Amino acid sequence: MSGILYLVPTPIGNLGDISRRAAETLAAADFIAAEDTRVSVKLLNHLDVRKPLVSYHEHNRRESGPKILERLLAGESCALVTDAGSPAISDPGEDLVRLCAEAGVPVCAIPGPCAAITALSVSALPTGRFAFEGFLPAQKKERRRRLETLTAEERTMIFYEAPHHLRQTLADLAEAFGGARRISLCRELTKLHEEIARMTLAEAVSHYAENEPRGEYVLVVGGAETGEKTVSLEDAAALARELIAGGMSKKEAVRQAAAETGAPKNALYSEILRDE
Ligand code: SAM
């Protein structure tokens, strides 16, 4: 009979957030698969758990995953942990869960800390329906395309971001959704310097133009208002181009196209300038 793969969430900052069941599962597993064994050893020492560790991360999952599966099929049980939070949520694990499911190995997820859900709960934005977007693509073109697909999204959206990309991401979000959209910046959740800043995207852009982003962030962004105009930037630009071709000045064409479509004026202007 095969063993079980346990997905064990670990604290996102405050060690007190490890649950009793998570600790018991780590202590009972035959071996632990960790994203970074050096990080996990600290937690395991804190819990006084000594177990054989194997490494399972983004760059070795193709080789490591089948080896873990083999041990599970042979009857051993494995606890999967990542550096912080819930495995498989913007973290290694998704592939291993799929491998196990395909091979008929039971997977058991222990509930626990997750930065996305912690941030959503405290965001003061609607929580009834939400879309988890994780990290936006790093590549400019891909990122733009992803954001375009989200301009009409009515659900609250959750993004992860690293501090050194925060300014660019806020600028991109403001360009895609307009500066008036609400955002809750949830920083250093569960840690000493936890901070929840609720403002508009335009305010967030100017705040971080003057203040250095520090620590870990989850960005929770309000969805589009029902009935909010959802014309794509491309369609708005096409309208502006038509107006320009009809003899209108660029400035006036952008103003009118923005007013008619609801597209953000700055983004529309940059789009038109790209034609030159
Ligand atoms: N699997 C993890 C989870 O369940 O939360 C997420 C891992 S993802 C690689 C790391 C990202 O999560 C960070 O870049 C940040 O956006 C967010 N994050 C993790 N811990 C956080 C914290 N204490 N406060 C704010 N954001 C955090």
Side-chain angles (χ1 to χ4, degrees), residues 148 151 230-243 253 257-258 260-263 268 271-272:
E148 260 175 35
T151 52
T230 55
V231 175
S232 75
L233 190 60
E234 260 168 46
D235 288 348
L239 173 62
R241 285 186 195 107
E242 254 177 55
L243 295 170
E260 281 185 31
T261 61
L268 197 50
E271 191 69 20
I272 294 300

mmCIF file of all heavy atoms in Angstrom, residues 148 151 230-243 253 257-258 260-263 268 271-272:
data_model
loop_
_atom_site.group_PDB
_atom_site.id
_atom_site.type_symbol
_atom_site.label_atom_id
_atom_site.label_comp_id
_atom_site.label_asym_id
_atom_site.label_seq_id
_atom_site.Cartn_x
_atom_site.Cartn_y
_atom_site.Cartn_z
ATOM 1 N N GLU A 148 -4.263 43.124 -19.153
ATOM 2 C CA GLU A 148 -5.390 43.419 -20.048
ATOM 3 C C GLU A 148 -6.547 42.462 -19.815
ATOM 4 O O GLU A 148 -7.705 42.854 -19.867
ATOM 5 C CB GLU A 148 -4.941 43.356 -21.502
ATOM 6 C CG GLU A 148 -4.679 44.743 -22.041
ATOM 7 C CD GLU A 148 -4.115 44.719 -23.439
ATOM 8 O OE1 GLU A 148 -4.496 43.837 -24.229
ATOM 9 O OE2 GLU A 148 -3.285 45.599 -23.738
ATOM 10 N N THR A 151 -8.740 43.749 -16.763
ATOM 11 C CA THR A 151 -9.340 45.082 -16.605
ATOM 12 C C THR A 151 -10.839 44.998 -16.288
ATOM 13 O O THR A 151 -11.372 45.858 -15.621
ATOM 14 C CB THR A 151 -9.121 45.970 -17.856
ATOM 15 O OG1 THR A 151 -9.558 45.228 -18.987
ATOM 16 C CG2 THR A 151 -7.671 46.384 -18.013
ATOM 17 N N THR A 230 -15.489 48.563 -19.926
ATOM 18 C CA THR A 230 -14.431 47.556 -19.976
ATOM 19 C C THR A 230 -13.804 47.444 -21.356
ATOM 20 O O THR A 230 -13.356 46.390 -21.748
ATOM 21 C CB THR A 230 -14.999 46.179 -19.567
ATOM 22 O OG1 THR A 230 -16.103 45.894 -20.414
ATOM 23 C CG2 THR A 230 -15.421 46.126 -18.126
ATOM 24 N N VAL A 231 -13.796 48.562 -22.062
ATOM 25 C CA VAL A 231 -13.167 48.554 -23.388
ATOM 26 C C VAL A 231 -11.667 48.353 -23.194
ATOM 27 O O VAL A 231 -11.077 48.922 -22.280
ATOM 28 C CB VAL A 231 -13.451 49.911 -24.085
ATOM 29 C CG1 VAL A 231 -12.718 50.011 -25.403
ATOM 30 C CG2 VAL A 231 -14.949 50.088 -24.281
ATOM 31 N N SER A 232 -11.036 47.516 -24.014
ATOM 32 C CA SER A 232 -9.599 47.268 -23.850
ATOM 33 C C SER A 232 -8.812 48.505 -24.272
ATOM 34 O O SER A 232 -9.299 49.348 -25.033
ATOM 35 C CB SER A 232 -9.177 46.068 -24.676
ATOM 36 O OG SER A 232 -9.126 46.446 -26.029
ATOM 37 N N LEU A 233 -7.582 48.572 -23.783
ATOM 38 C CA LEU A 233 -6.715 49.701 -24.125
ATOM 39 C C LEU A 233 -6.519 49.778 -25.639
ATOM 40 O O LEU A 233 -6.530 50.864 -26.221
ATOM 41 C CB LEU A 233 -5.363 49.525 -23.404
ATOM 42 C CG LEU A 233 -4.420 50.711 -23.446
ATOM 43 C CD1 LEU A 233 -5.042 51.937 -22.798
ATOM 44 C CD2 LEU A 233 -3.111 50.356 -22.753
ATOM 45 N N GLU A 234 -6.406 48.611 -26.250
ATOM 46 C CA GLU A 234 -6.218 48.577 -27.711
ATOM 47 C C GLU A 234 -7.399 49.209 -28.446
ATOM 48 O O GLU A 234 -7.234 49.998 -29.363
ATOM 49 C CB GLU A 234 -6.085 47.128 -28.184
ATOM 50 C CG GLU A 234 -4.652 46.729 -28.416
ATOM 51 C CD GLU A 234 -4.512 45.240 -28.600
ATOM 52 O OE1 GLU A 234 -5.310 44.663 -29.359
ATOM 53 O OE2 GLU A 234 -3.608 44.671 -27.960
ATOM 54 N N ASP A 235 -8.627 48.865 -27.991
ATOM 55 C CA ASP A 235 -9.814 49.436 -28.649
ATOM 56 C C ASP A 235 -9.894 50.935 -28.408
ATOM 57 O O ASP A 235 -10.265 51.705 -29.292
ATOM 58 C CB ASP A 235 -11.090 48.749 -28.126
ATOM 59 C CG ASP A 235 -11.205 47.324 -28.660
ATOM 60 O OD1 ASP A 235 -10.440 47.000 -29.585
ATOM 61 O OD2 ASP A 235 -12.015 46.553 -28.133
ATOM 62 N N ALA A 236 -9.520 51.361 -27.188
ATOM 63 C CA ALA A 236 -9.545 52.792 -26.877
ATOM 64 C C ALA A 236 -8.520 53.520 -27.741
ATOM 65 O O ALA A 236 -8.786 54.611 -28.261
ATOM 66 C CB ALA A 236 -9.245 53.006 -25.395
ATOM 67 N N ALA A 237 -7.350 52.878 -27.946
ATOM 68 C CA ALA A 237 -6.309 53.490 -28.774
ATOM 69 C C ALA A 237 -6.778 53.583 -30.229
ATOM 70 O O ALA A 237 -6.511 54.573 -30.920
ATOM 71 C CB ALA A 237 -5.023 52.683 -28.671
ATOM 72 N N ALA A 238 -7.502 52.545 -30.671
ATOM 73 C CA ALA A 238 -8.011 52.560 -32.048
ATOM 74 C C ALA A 238 -8.963 53.743 -32.234
ATOM 75 O O ALA A 238 -8.920 54.443 -33.262
ATOM 76 C CB ALA A 238 -8.718 51.246 -32.351
ATOM 77 N N LEU A 239 -9.790 54.004 -31.221
ATOM 78 C CA LEU A 239 -10.712 55.142 -31.300
ATOM 79 C C LEU A 239 -9.925 56.458 -31.355
ATOM 80 O O LEU A 239 -10.216 57.332 -32.179
ATOM 81 C CB LEU A 239 -11.660 55.121 -30.080
ATOM 82 C CG LEU A 239 -12.570 56.331 -29.935
ATOM 83 C CD1 LEU A 239 -13.510 56.463 -31.142
ATOM 84 C CD2 LEU A 239 -13.406 56.233 -28.645
ATOM 85 N N ALA A 240 -8.896 56.577 -30.505
ATOM 86 C CA ALA A 240 -8.090 57.803 -30.499
ATOM 87 C C ALA A 240 -7.419 58.009 -31.861
ATOM 88 O O ALA A 240 -7.393 59.122 -32.388
ATOM 89 C CB ALA A 240 -7.050 57.733 -29.385
ATOM 90 N N ARG A 241 -6.915 56.914 -32.427
ATOM 91 C CA ARG A 241 -6.250 57.020 -33.751
ATOM 92 C C ARG A 241 -7.226 57.513 -34.820
ATOM 93 O O ARG A 241 -6.897 58.324 -35.665
ATOM 94 C CB ARG A 241 -5.674 55.664 -34.171
ATOM 95 C CG ARG A 241 -4.420 55.332 -33.411
ATOM 96 C CD ARG A 241 -3.754 54.056 -33.910
ATOM 97 N NE ARG A 241 -2.785 53.621 -32.929
ATOM 98 C CZ ARG A 241 -2.928 52.566 -32.120
ATOM 99 N NH1 ARG A 241 -3.989 51.806 -32.195
ATOM 100 N NH2 ARG A 241 -1.996 52.279 -31.231
ATOM 101 N N GLU A 242 -8.458 57.014 -34.730
ATOM 102 C CA GLU A 242 -9.500 57.453 -35.685
ATOM 103 C C GLU A 242 -9.729 58.953 -35.563
ATOM 104 O O GLU A 242 -9.838 59.670 -36.550
ATOM 105 C CB GLU A 242 -10.822 56.758 -35.340
ATOM 106 C CG GLU A 242 -11.216 55.654 -36.277
ATOM 107 C CD GLU A 242 -12.496 54.979 -35.794
ATOM 108 O OE1 GLU A 242 -13.501 55.679 -35.592
ATOM 109 O OE2 GLU A 242 -12.444 53.748 -35.574
ATOM 110 N N LEU A 243 -9.805 59.418 -34.314
ATOM 111 C CA LEU A 243 -10.049 60.840 -34.078
ATOM 112 C C LEU A 243 -8.884 61.680 -34.597
ATOM 113 O O LEU A 243 -9.084 62.744 -35.192
ATOM 114 C CB LEU A 243 -10.258 61.098 -32.573
ATOM 115 C CG LEU A 243 -11.518 60.454 -31.963
ATOM 116 C CD1 LEU A 243 -11.513 60.541 -30.451
ATOM 117 C CD2 LEU A 243 -12.783 61.117 -32.531
ATOM 118 N N ALA A 253 -7.714 64.046 -28.746
ATOM 119 C CA ALA A 253 -8.194 62.703 -29.125
ATOM 120 C C ALA A 253 -8.072 61.747 -27.935
ATOM 121 O O ALA A 253 -8.982 60.951 -27.674
ATOM 122 C CB ALA A 253 -7.393 62.189 -30.318
ATOM 123 N N ALA A 257 -11.191 59.946 -26.213
ATOM 124 C CA ALA A 257 -11.249 58.471 -26.233
ATOM 125 C C ALA A 257 -11.269 57.940 -24.797
ATOM 126 O O ALA A 257 -11.978 56.977 -24.495
ATOM 127 C CB ALA A 257 -10.065 57.910 -27.003
ATOM 128 N N ALA A 258 -10.503 58.580 -23.910
ATOM 129 C CA ALA A 258 -10.477 58.137 -22.504
ATOM 130 C C ALA A 258 -11.849 58.347 -21.878
ATOM 131 O O ALA A 258 -12.368 57.477 -21.160
ATOM 132 C CB ALA A 258 -9.403 58.898 -21.733
ATOM 133 N N GLU A 260 -14.730 58.468 -23.395
ATOM 134 C CA GLU A 260 -15.749 57.583 -23.981
ATOM 135 C C GLU A 260 -15.592 56.122 -23.570
ATOM 136 O O GLU A 260 -16.557 55.385 -23.505
ATOM 137 C CB GLU A 260 -15.696 57.675 -25.517
ATOM 138 C CG GLU A 260 -16.404 58.919 -26.025
ATOM 139 C CD GLU A 260 -16.466 58.959 -27.548
ATOM 140 O OE1 GLU A 260 -16.522 57.879 -28.162
ATOM 141 O OE2 GLU A 260 -16.458 60.081 -28.088
ATOM 142 N N THR A 261 -14.348 55.699 -23.342
ATOM 143 C CA THR A 261 -14.125 54.262 -23.095
ATOM 144 C C THR A 261 -13.827 53.933 -21.643
ATOM 145 O O THR A 261 -13.876 52.770 -21.249
ATOM 146 C CB THR A 261 -12.928 53.756 -23.928
ATOM 147 O OG1 THR A 261 -11.763 54.483 -23.513
ATOM 148 C CG2 THR A 261 -13.150 53.940 -25.407
ATOM 149 N N GLY A 262 -13.439 54.954 -20.866
ATOM 150 C CA GLY A 262 -13.060 54.678 -19.472
ATOM 151 C C GLY A 262 -11.611 54.216 -19.351
ATOM 152 O O GLY A 262 -11.143 53.885 -18.269
ATOM 153 N N ALA A 263 -10.862 54.216 -20.470
ATOM 154 C CA ALA A 263 -9.445 53.798 -20.420
ATOM 155 C C ALA A 263 -8.635 54.879 -19.701
ATOM 156 O O ALA A 263 -8.932 56.063 -19.830
ATOM 157 C CB ALA A 263 -8.911 53.612 -21.836
ATOM 158 N N LEU A 268 -3.268 55.474 -22.348
ATOM 159 C CA LEU A 268 -3.727 55.693 -23.718
ATOM 160 C C LEU A 268 -2.741 56.595 -24.457
ATOM 161 O O LEU A 268 -2.388 56.336 -25.607
ATOM 162 C CB LEU A 268 -5.111 56.340 -23.645
ATOM 163 C CG LEU A 268 -5.976 56.330 -24.877
ATOM 164 C CD1 LEU A 268 -6.051 54.938 -25.472
ATOM 165 C CD2 LEU A 268 -7.384 56.810 -24.532
ATOM 166 N N GLU A 271 0.328 54.734 -25.377
ATOM 167 C CA GLU A 271 0.015 53.831 -26.489
ATOM 168 C C GLU A 271 0.083 54.600 -27.816
ATOM 169 O O GLU A 271 0.638 54.105 -28.795
ATOM 170 C CB GLU A 271 -1.391 53.259 -26.244
ATOM 171 C CG GLU A 271 -1.812 52.125 -27.120
ATOM 172 C CD GLU A 271 -1.032 50.836 -26.850
ATOM 173 O OE1 GLU A 271 -0.454 50.712 -25.772
ATOM 174 O OE2 GLU A 271 -0.996 50.001 -27.763
ATOM 175 N N ILE A 272 -0.494 55.796 -27.830
ATOM 176 C CA ILE A 272 -0.522 56.600 -29.053
ATOM 177 C C ILE A 272 0.894 57.069 -29.413
ATOM 178 O O ILE A 272 1.286 57.068 -30.574
ATOM 179 C CB ILE A 272 -1.471 57.823 -28.860
ATOM 180 C CG1 ILE A 272 -2.913 57.339 -28.691
ATOM 181 C CG2 ILE A 272 -1.370 58.815 -30.004
ATOM 182 C CD1 ILE A 272 -3.453 56.539 -29.861
#
